[in-house]
Amino acid sequence: MRNVAIIGCGQTKHSSRRRDVNLAELVEEAVTNALVDAEMTMDEVNALVVGNMQGFGGVAQPEQWLGDWIGAPGKPVIRIATGGTTGGSVGQGGYYAVASGLYDVALAVAWEKHSDSREPGATMGLAHVGIANMFHAFNYGLSLKSLAATAGVGAAAGVAVYQARYYMHRSGCSIEHLDMVAAKARRNAAKNKYAHLQWPDCTPEDIAKTELIAYPFRYGHICPASDGASAIVFAEEKIAVKKAKQPAWIKGLASFSDEENQLQSENYGGVGVLDPSEQMGCRMSAKKAYKMAGITDPKKEIDLAEIYQPFPSQELLFAEKLGLFDEGKAWIAMEKGETDINGTIPTDLSGGVNATNAIGSSALQRILECALQIMGKAGEHQAPKKIRNAVAHGWGGNTNYITVTVLGDSPRR
Amino acid sequence: MPYIKDKRPETMLLEGEWNVGAYKYKAPHLLEEFVQGLKEKKLIGSMCIGCGKVIIPPRNICGRCHQRMEGRITVSNWGTVVCFVTSPPVEKGKFQVFGIDPVESGLIQEGSVLIPTFVRFDGADANIVTELCNVDPKDVFIGMRVKAIWAEEPQGQLSDLVGVEPI
Amino acid sequence: MVKRVAIVGYAQSHHQYDMQKTREDMVFEVAKEALDNAGISRKDIDTVVTASTDFLDGRTISNVFLSMAVGAYMKDESKVEEDGASAALYALMRILSGSHEIALVEAHTQASTFNPHQVSFYTLDPLFDRQIGLLNSVSAAALQARMYMDANDVSEEHLAMVSVKNLMNAADNPNAHRRMPDLSVEEVLDSKLYYDPIRELTMSPISDGACALVLASEERAREITDFPVWIEGVGTCHDAYLRDRNLLRLDSLRKAAEDAYKMAGITDPFSELDVIEVSERFAHEELMIYEALGLCREGKGKVFIDKWVTQRDGELPVNPSGGALAADPVCATGLIRMVEAAKQIRGEADGHQIPGAYRALAHGQFGICAQKNIVYILGGE
């Protein structure tokens, strides 16, 4: 198998309204940063893999219009979009483009500009996931009251509320632990100059003071909707070694799809067939990615994790599913500080999705942050220890899509 | 990295829209069977001949076995709470459903607490999301036994299943 | 290419205006049929790549409730948000990388859900063209057609002849949507005018449809079938935005074709290819595609139609299946071309078989005025 490495990373400053740029300029900013970081020009890039959630910005196939800003004309472009995992899928697409041998250098670009839609965040876009199929349910007499009940609780966080409840029931973790995770994300974000919700000395008590939306989620637990973009340059082994002092090698990856978990499936069936905290897709993906990377004991061999955690319960839940902690024990490790910057497995040192959520790009940022840590370019939030292997995670869809990417400081042998 | 702007002058704002009202979605035939069952106060699910899973409301394809779910099974009216969520007391003007305020229009009483619940009816392998009624939110727990509440005169529509209540 | 990858199974739906089926059913049926066609089951596949778009399907994350139906449960899965031929490219990359052996590719659109021409309006520059509101895929194509006809002395009859050729070919293709065995040039010229010179019969219909194919690495392909259809070359290219490029030429297609020919070792496409399947959303595009594929000189596309070169019994048949003019389920169209080309090579294209087809070209496009193009060279043993 061909070895592929990340040799350049670029992202934009994230905030709730990047009104100084339009969508095309925002994406260009990330791409320029990535090319500068890789010390390359667009002429050296053979192919692009791009993606975002097209409903959220209200532009269909935006790369057709903004391709000119990122040097796409005259080059192969593949658009990949898989919901929340879009960024992760785009990153994996970049890997496959190079690993296939068809191209030597590929640029992965993902973005989201939430403030382009008038509805706060992605409410409208996300509603379409479910509501599309509810229209015909009205013909069968779905009562507006039950819809209101669902919307009243679910709209804020949807299936994640149920997922958190399931997880807490199984693991014994309490709402205070969620406060701790959220506070940690805000504090970490304060050290990341690109992050959105920065709160330097945030304590769990600060989070606990915020309004309860639906038990167990408080307002302070929930991710923001950000404007932002990120871009990564992937290159094959010879170019990578020449261009970068310490490339971040892609060692293993997988994206297993599970059964969807939410209220409406394609035919108003499949109502929560699964426990959304079970995440078999994540376990399978992790297993495959570790095997590919030659990692036998992730607890010992993984030095850092970037977990896609728009809600704090997910950092704990997915850390377990990724094999970093025993089942139901992640919150204990978190309480002991093992996921802090000086811990055994620092988790989401960038602040993660909980602090910065430009949905299309969020999962690509997880890969990007792992790469920065391995390359030693993370700046203020660089982990003090040497990072040999890191795992980047993404989830999306109706909790049924997962991307897991394992990065390392040396190529696969 | 060099390219972060310090000054952020605002750009011009342009209006646009994504007209989503014009879509024509297709309804499956299975829903018809399901609501006909509701009229007789029956919960009809579909069973996969391959793995034996019973899915309710019925769906026509089993993704695990990759085949059509040909079997039909009526599951019990009794079930177990698998998961639940409690809302804070509902306030006026807090949220809208299709542009309607549920409190203002009298759908939901002001100050009431909603408990959407995943219920697994006995005999089914899938959860149904419905409302848990006639219970103090403090008393709800995972594993609680519940039974279906039916409309007084079922019309053969989805709202015939009003919710569930503790046994 | 380092490794060889083959098409080992395929299926497509009976494309029509309104399928009277849910998307789930439609997708399930083609996926199942493609696996049956290859003689394998769901557990044999390693990866699944689908193609559909959110705007056309009318829901964010268009594949979210279809993963189970397509057979992606607990499979390494991804979705390409454009033409199915690009999904096939991503699946090809996944196999070539060495991580996967067998891939299922599926693409679908139910155009009856939402008018795809209206979606094309949402792909425009939101800050300028959308504000003006004059352009959409049809009006832009009309501008392009007018430019092309003016520059190359092409008459409306030429466009009508393209439609007649393709729609009469489609009469023998049971999967096609618009099948017209007795069509005449006059009838085409009398059909409803949308934007001059684009008429109802010189543009593609709005179709529901799905298509699936199974790709396998060389080793597995030989185990699965005695008649693998090899992917000998592939090329894809994205063009500049509508306003910034030369609409008279399909430069991105030219580049894509050059890449594909180079990979397949083709120097003279006209004599080395036996049959061609292209996605011509409008009749004039087919003439432009002849030129961009390097089959004839610049501006001479009409000669092929005049001299009957691309008829089913001509020297180089183009679109014996009827092409996109006969059925156009947007995201599936390019993948259908691959399936039709593979059928020709296997000798399984019942009514519209080209005798002795050994090497075929399949073309897919996406975007207004064919902004993005992808070309495959397929060959038999």
Side-chain angles (χ1 to χ4, degrees):
Chain A
M1 280 194 262
R2 211 177 187 208
N3 275 313
V4 179
I6 291 173
I7 59 168
C9 303
Q11 53 181 321
T12 64
K13 169 69 190 163
H14 294 76
S15 65
S16 56
R17 277 193 179 73
R18 280 294 304 267
R19 285 290 320 282
D20 56 324
V21 286
N22 70 26
L23 177 62
E25 291 163 339
L26 182 79
V27 178
E28 185 202 5
E29 192 176 315
V31 169
T32 310
N33 285 340
L35 290 173
V36 168
D37 189 37
E39 296 175 25
M40 273 193 167
T41 63
M42 206 55 211
D43 297 339
E44 294 168 78
V45 175
N46 304 128
L48 287 93
V49 182
V50 302
N52 80 318
M53 305 262 284
Q54 55 176 331
F56 289 8
V59 183
Q61 309 297 126
E63 83 284 3
Q64 292 183 359
W65 156 57
L66 59 78
D68 296 17
W69 272 260
I70 56 175
K75 294 201 165 60
V77 177
I78 295 188
R79 177 184 170 78
I80 296 176
T82 53
T85 54
T86 295
S89 302
V90 166
Q92 300 197 341
Y95 165 83
Y96 282 120
V98 178
S100 67
L102 293 176
Y103 310 107
D104 288 335
V105 180
L107 179 68
V109 193
W111 64 87
E112 209 67 69
K113 199 161 188 297
H114 282 299
S115 67
D116 275 2
S117 78
R118 192 181 309 172
E119 296 285 334
T123 319
M124 198 59 194
L126 277 183
H128 277 165
V129 179
I131 284 181
N133 284 318
M134 286 169 101
F135 284 122
H136 64 239
F138 285 118
N139 296 334
Y140 291 98
L142 179 71
S143 82
L144 208 54
K145 188 188 171 206
S146 65
L147 188 63
T150 316
V153 179
V159 74
V161 186
Y162 297 99
Q163 190 186 42
R165 175 76 82 158
Y166 268 112
Y167 174 72
M168 290 163 71
H169 178 69
R170 288 184 164 185
S171 67
C173 126
S174 71
I175 190 167
E176 285 74 32
H177 296 104
L178 304 188
D179 296 342
M180 287 162 75
V181 175
K184 174 171 83 74
R186 307 271 182 280
R187 284 198 308 270
N188 284 343
K191 291 186 188 165
N192 176 1
K193 62 181 174 180
Y194 298 103
H196 178 180
L197 279 189
Q198 297 169 319
W199 190 345
D201 300 306
C202 180
T203 60
E205 290 72 40
D206 292 332
I207 300 286
K209 276 180 213 147
T210 57
E211 186 191 359
L212 192 70
I213 293 180
Y215 189 87
F217 286 157
R218 306 183 199 280
Y219 188 74
H221 286 160
I222 298 190
C223 63
S226 321
D227 286 0
S230 46
I232 295 182
V233 182
F234 291 88
E236 58 92 28
E237 191 161 358
K238 282 199 192 89
I239 298 176
V241 171
K242 208 164 75 187
K243 285 276 184 186
K245 210 158 51 191
Q246 170 62 70
W249 300 92
I250 306 287
K251 296 178 76 174
L253 72 175
S255 57
F256 280 77
S257 137
D258 204 337
E259 178 152 20
E260 69 275 357
N261 289 301
Q262 222 194 0
L263 321 176
Q264 313 294 328
S265 91
E266 186 71 12
N267 62 356
Y268 192 82
V271 181
V273 175
L274 295 171
D275 165 356
S277 72
E278 192 176 292
Q279 291 299 335
M280 190 52 82
C282 187
R283 292 185 214 201
M284 298 271 287
S285 302
K287 194 175 146 197
K288 186 179 169 200
Y290 290 146
K291 193 177 166 209
M292 210 170 148
I295 288 174
T296 46
D297 184 1
K299 288 194 192 72
K300 291 207 183 82
E301 291 174 68
I302 295 289
D303 302 311
L304 179 127
E306 276 286 336
I307 292 172
Y308 192 104
Q309 27 70 299
F311 308 99
S313 52
Q314 290 170 339
E315 181 172 320
L316 305 170
L317 160 70
F318 284 112
E320 291 166 14
K321 307 302 169 194
L322 289 169
L324 306 179
F325 301 103
D326 285 334
E327 199 67 14
K329 298 281 186 285
W331 61 274
I332 301 171
M334 187 270 307
E335 215 175 9
K336 285 185 195 153
E338 286 181 25
T339 57
D340 288 349
I341 192 159
N342 294 315
T344 49
I345 304 181
T347 305
D348 286 311
L349 292 184
S350 60
V353 184
N354 203 263
T356 311
N357 189 19
I359 291 187
S361 117
S362 291
L364 188 64
Q365 263 187 307
R366 306 282 68 75
I367 300 177
L368 186 147
E369 288 291 343
C370 283
L372 287 181
Q373 294 282 355
I374 288 172
M375 294 159 100
K377 289 182 183 170
E380 260 192 273
H381 62 286
Q382 176 74 42
K385 66 171 177 178
K386 165 86 179 148
I387 306 295
R388 295 199 180 280
N389 289 305
V391 61
H393 158 258
W395 76 263
N398 254 326
T399 74
N400 56 337
Y401 293 143
I402 293 287
T403 57
V404 174
T405 313
V406 179
L407 297 93
D409 67 342
S410 58
R412 223 170 16 216
R413 290 289 171 230
Chain B
M1 291 178 197
Y3 199 78
I4 300 182
K5 288 185 187 175
D6 295 328
K7 284 185 188 162
R8 298 178 187 280
E10 292 216 338
T11 56
M12 187 164 68
L13 193 72
L14 291 172
E15 294 281 326
E17 65 173 18
W18 173 18
N19 182 359
V20 290
Y23 286 86
K24 292 195 274 290
Y25 301 103
K26 293 208 172 56
H29 300 294
L30 272 173
L31 211 49
E32 191 68 45
E33 286 183 35
F34 183 62
V35 294
Q36 285 309 318
L38 292 180
K39 198 169 181 180
E40 296 162 29
K41 301 191 179 179
K42 277 183 184 165
L43 292 164
I44 296 179
S46 60
M47 188 177 80
C48 174
I49 310 295
C51 57
K53 273 200 189 316
V54 177
I55 307 293
I56 169 173
R59 75 190 295 176
N60 54 353
I61 293 161
C62 175
R64 292 176 175 78
C65 308
H66 212 223
Q67 64 184 33
R68 286 192 188 281
M69 299 179 97
E70 306 285 4
R72 295 287 177 270
I73 273 187
T74 305
V75 302
S76 167
N77 276 351
W78 291 29
T80 311
V81 171
V82 179
C83 189
F84 64 95
V85 172
T86 40
S87 73
V90 177
E91 290 167 41
K92 206 165 160 176
K94 199 80 181 207
F95 66 97
Q96 289 191 333
V97 179
F98 293 112
I100 302 166
D101 189 315
V103 178
E104 206 169 83
S105 61
L107 279 170
I108 299 173
Q109 226 179 347
E110 179 139 28
S112 61
V113 173
L114 301 170
I115 314 174
T117 309
F118 277 23
V119 179
R120 183 159 296 196
F121 286 102
D122 299 347
D125 293 303
N127 312 324
I128 225 171
V129 178
T130 187
E131 212 190 322
L132 183 55
C133 312
N134 309 335
V135 65
D136 187 331
K138 285 197 287 294
D139 299 339
V140 188
F141 59 95
I142 290 176
M144 188 179 200
R145 293 290 291 166
V146 290
K147 67 170 194 276
I149 310 172
W150 294 99
E152 278 173 20
E153 280 180 33
Q155 303 291 315
Q157 56 190 24
L158 292 172
S159 55
D160 289 346
L161 178 65
V162 176
V164 290
E165 62 184 358
I167 296 167
Chain C
M1 273 188 269
V2 212
K3 290 164 74 177
R4 293 175 86 196
V5 174
I7 298 172
V8 296
Y10 46 69
Q12 56 177 316
S13 61
H14 288 271
H15 318 304
Q16 49 197 289
Y17 171 65
D18 189 343
M19 191 89 80
Q20 300 290 345
K21 264 181 205 161
T22 59
R23 265 197 292 266
E24 195 177 22
D25 275 333
M26 182 175 82
V27 166
F28 170 75
E29 281 166 17
V30 293
K32 187 90 177 160
E33 205 185 320
L35 292 174
D36 288 348
N37 183 276
I40 58 175
S41 73
R42 199 184 78 86
K43 66 175 183 292
D44 297 314
I45 48 179
D46 299 314
T47 179
V48 178
V49 183
T50 60
S52 57
T53 92
D54 292 4
F55 271 75
L56 287 169
D57 279 11
R59 85 126 55 83
T60 307
I61 326 179
S62 55
N63 57 335
V64 71
F65 295 121
L66 298 174
S67 296
M68 294 296 270
V70 76
Y73 175 67
M74 287 303 156
K75 300 283 172 194
D76 209 324
E77 193 260 8
S78 197
K79 183 193 86 179
V80 164
E81 202 159 49
E82 47 185 309
D83 193 278
S86 299
L89 174 62
Y90 188 28
L92 175 70
M93 284 176 184
R94 284 177 163 238
I95 294 176
L96 288 176
S97 77
S99 308
H100 306 277
E101 296 286 338
I102 302 180
L104 175 68
V105 183
E106 186 274 336
H108 68 267
T109 292
Q110 279 201 343
S112 62
T113 306
F114 193 68
N115 181 356
H117 300 304
Q118 196 174 343
V119 173
S120 72
F121 175 71
Y122 297 129
T123 66
L124 292 167
D125 176 352
L127 310 171
F128 187 72
D129 293 328
R130 238 162 102 171
Q131 305 293 324
I132 295 169
L134 289 174
L135 286 177
N136 57 44
S137 58
V138 187
S139 64
L143 290 170
Q144 186 185 36
R146 194 44 78 191
M147 268 170 89
Y148 179 77
M149 290 162 75
D150 197 51
N152 298 315
D153 195 21
V154 173
S155 67
E156 276 203 56
E157 280 75 20
H158 285 115
L159 305 192
M161 282 160 77
V162 172
S163 293
V164 169
K165 168 180 83 75
N166 287 352
L167 298 180
M168 283 173 72
N169 281 348
D172 295 324
N173 175 5
N175 296 102
H177 168 188
R178 216 156 47 179
R179 303 161 66 191
M180 299 182 157
D182 310 312
L183 190 66
S184 68
V185 170
E186 290 71 37
E187 255 179 275
V188 176
L189 292 177
D190 284 344
S191 64
K192 191 181 167 200
L193 187 71
Y194 286 102
Y195 291 89
D196 183 51
I198 306 290
R199 294 172 184 277
E200 191 187 340
L201 290 178
T202 56
M203 66 185 265
S204 62
I206 293 177
S207 320
D208 283 5
C211 181
L213 57 80
V214 183
L215 296 178
S217 63
E218 180 164 15
E219 196 180 306
R220 301 306 307 275
R222 295 212 186 275
E223 287 171 21
I224 292 169
T225 174
D226 293 335
F227 306 103
V229 176
W230 301 105
I231 295 180
E232 297 184 350
V234 59
T236 175
C237 186
H238 179 97
D239 214 329
Y241 179 64
L242 183 63
R243 272 187 286 113
D244 307 332
R245 68 182 151 117
N246 183 358
L247 279 181
L248 258 182
R249 295 157 53 100
L250 295 176
D251 283 329
S252 61
L253 176 56
R254 197 172 290 267
K255 173 115 191 332
E258 278 167 11
D259 288 353
Y261 292 153
K262 198 173 148 205
M263 201 182 277
I266 289 179
T267 47
D268 179 7
F270 185 79
S271 61
E272 288 179 54
L273 293 170
D274 301 321
V275 57
I276 291 179
E277 280 283 344
V278 301
S279 306
E280 73 315 353
R281 295 239 145 85
F282 301 92
H284 70 275
E285 278 182 0
E286 183 162 325
L287 303 179
M288 299 177 75
I289 290 170
Y290 294 160
E291 296 163 21
L293 289 179
L295 305 174
C296 62
R297 273 186 292 142
E298 194 83 353
K300 299 290 180 209
K302 64 171 181 176
V303 179
F304 274 26
I305 284 294
D306 274 339
K307 298 263 160 90
W308 287 58
V309 176
T310 53
Q311 296 287 342
R312 209 195 297 170
D313 52 1
E315 233 178 303
L316 178 57
V318 176
N319 280 340
S321 69
L325 282 174
D328 187 11
V330 189
C331 286
T333 307
L335 200 63
I336 295 169
R337 304 279 77 75
M338 290 180 74
V339 167
E340 288 292 348
K343 264 181 163 176
Q344 294 285 354
I345 291 168
R346 277 199 182 185
E348 291 175 359
D350 285 338
H352 52 287
Q353 178 68 41
I354 305 299
Y358 169 78
R359 209 174 212 187
L361 181 149
H363 158 252
Q365 60 145 301
F366 211 74
I368 293 180
C369 293
Q371 185 174 5
K372 188 184 282 182
N373 287 280
I374 179 162
V375 173
Y376 284 89
I377 308 291
L378 306 176
E381 286 285 2

